[in-house]
């Protein structure tokens, strides 16, 4: 589980910083799009912070909400990117990353629930 939390922290903080500080690397210079991308960057930094803070938790009950939140986020992000891909506006690499994180966090959550 630690490796997935570390990978998620690096991924989300990296994406968050790019979206927040350098949004024109991702989108053309459209004021509304850049504003929205910066908000998404803030969310990514929040999720990266969550996974970083979860690294110190050992209590299974304390880990559960964070694992569920990360599972939901990555599952919905993957589904939304698949939808965008079908409309020719998404990158397959991003779909794969979110899907891998979703499967990982769902399986870890399921293992934790079954260990009770």
């Amino acid at each position: 589980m630690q490796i997935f939390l570390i990978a998620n922290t690096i991924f989300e903080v990296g994406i968050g910083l790019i979206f927040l500080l350098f949004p024109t690397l991702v989108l053309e210079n459209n004021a509304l799009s850049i504003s929205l991308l910066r908000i998404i960057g803030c969310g990514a930094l929040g999720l990266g912070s969550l996974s970083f803070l979860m690294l110190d938790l050992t209590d299974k009950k304390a880990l559960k909400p964070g694992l569920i939140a990360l599972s939901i986020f990555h599952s919905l992000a993957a589904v939304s990117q698949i939808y965008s891909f079908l409309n020719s506006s998404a990158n397959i690499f991003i779909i794969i990353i979110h899907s891998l994180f979703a499967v990982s966090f769902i399986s870890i959550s399921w293992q934790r629930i079954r260990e009770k």
Side-chain angles (χ1 to χ4, degrees), residues 3 62 102:
I3 192 74

Side-chain angles (χ1 to χ4, degrees), residues 1 3-4 17 19 32 36 43 52 56 65 83 85-86 112:
M1 176 183 66
I3 192 74
F4 293 113
L17 289 173
F19 285 7
L32 179 59
L36 290 172
F52 178 74
D56 284 338
Y83 179 75
F85 181 75
L86 296 175
R112 300 283 177 178

Side-chain angles (χ1 to χ4, degrees), residues 19 21-22 26 33 47 51 76 88-89 100 108 113-115:
F19 285 7
L21 302 174
F22 309 104
V26 181
S33 297
L47 288 170
S51 58
L76 293 176
S88 303
S89 61
L100 290 174
I108 292 168
I113 289 169
R114 291 180 64 210
E115 288 177 357

Side-chain angles (χ1 to χ4, degrees), residues 11-12 73-74 77-78 81 94-103:
F11 176 73
E12 295 298 342
F73 169 72
H74 285 294
Q81 289 301 301
I94 301 301
I95 296 170
I96 291 169
I97 289 174
H98 281 294
S99 297
L100 290 174
F101 276 126
V103 168

Side-chain angles (χ1 to χ4, degrees), residues 60-85:
K60 294 175 188 176
K61 190 172 184 175
L63 282 166
K64 187 177 175 181
L67 288 171
I68 291 170
L70 292 172
S71 297
I72 291 169
F73 169 72
H74 285 294
S75 297
L76 293 176
V79 168
S80 71
Q81 289 301 301
I82 290 168
Y83 179 75
S84 294
F85 181 75

